[in-house]
Each structure stands twice: as structure tokens, then as C-alpha cells.
Amino acid sequence: MNFETLLERLTDFIQKEVKTETVMGEPFKLGEFDCVPVMRVGIGFGSGGGHGDSTKTGKGEGGGAGGGIGIDPIGFLVTKGDEISFINTHQKKSIAGIFEKVPDLIEKLTNKKKEKETA
């Protein structure tokens, strides 16, 4: 595979995989709250090639390429009524860490509502 074909295939892959739906996940309801997961997407790739000519080993050429994509959950956009908040979950990199934040989120939003009602 030549370099131009490789770049074309990588570009096609990036266009298909990295889109708004990848960064902003599927919305879901949690009680009175509407939640939208937010992800960070990273893409990297590299390639190389070469050729040689030696009287001892003959002629040769070669090439290679590799790529990767990483998706990292960083938080949730949370709405209730006309209020919207971003809950950062990036301190913990596991799914369990994200769901550990949900009770805190509910408490914070409930407290905000109570503060508005008493003001």
C-alpha cells in the first residue's frame, strides 16, 4: 500500500469515527435530571518507510503505519428545568468514578434549587 492510499484510508476513518455523537454521548434521564456524557477524543498515527541497496544483502524496501484513537469520559452536562451544569469526572478515569459523582450532583442541584426558593 502506498503512502497516499494509507493517508486516504486514515482520513476516511477519522471522518467516520470522530463526530459530534462521539464527543457528546447519548442523553439519558436520571430522575428529574437530563444528562449528556462528554468525552475527549484523541487520535494519533504515524508512518515510515525506507529502502536500501547493499552489495552483501541485496536490495530492499519497506514501510509501516499505525494509528490509534482514544476516548476519555470527562464529565456530564446536566440540566433540570432551565438550569444547566457541567459535572467534571475527569479526576477518576474509570466508569465507576463517574457514577460515584452522581449522588453529589443530585445533592448540589437540589441545594441550588432550595437556595433560589428561599432567596
Side-chain angles (χ1 to χ4, degrees), residues 7-110:
L7 283 179
E8 184 178 316
R9 287 187 180 178
L10 284 170
T11 302
D12 289 345
F13 172 78
I14 291 168
Q15 288 174 340
K16 289 176 188 171
E17 296 302 318
V18 180
K19 50 192 169 199
T20 304
E21 293 83 9
T22 306
V23 176
M24 302 298 286
E26 284 290 321
F28 63 93
K29 280 195 91 53
L30 184 64
E32 300 175 1
F33 302 95
D34 293 311
C35 306
V36 179
V38 180
M39 275 69 77
R40 177 188 341 243
V41 178
I43 299 174
F45 59 92
S47 66
H51 57 87
D53 189 5
S54 170
T55 55
K56 293 181 182 179
T57 58
K59 296 181 181 181
E61 62 181 65
I69 184 168
I71 300 174
D72 184 21
I74 61 170
F76 291 94
L77 285 174
V78 180
T79 61
K80 181 180 178 189
D82 61 350
E83 293 183 35
I84 186 167
S85 298
F86 179 75
I87 307 301
N88 185 355
T89 58
H90 201 253
Q91 290 82 13
K92 295 185 179 185
K93 295 198 181 227
S94 68
I95 296 295
I98 292 170
F99 287 105
E100 287 174 9
K101 294 281 187 178
V102 172
D104 292 337
L105 162 69
I106 293 171
E107 184 178 348
K108 285 180 185 178
L109 290 174
T110 303

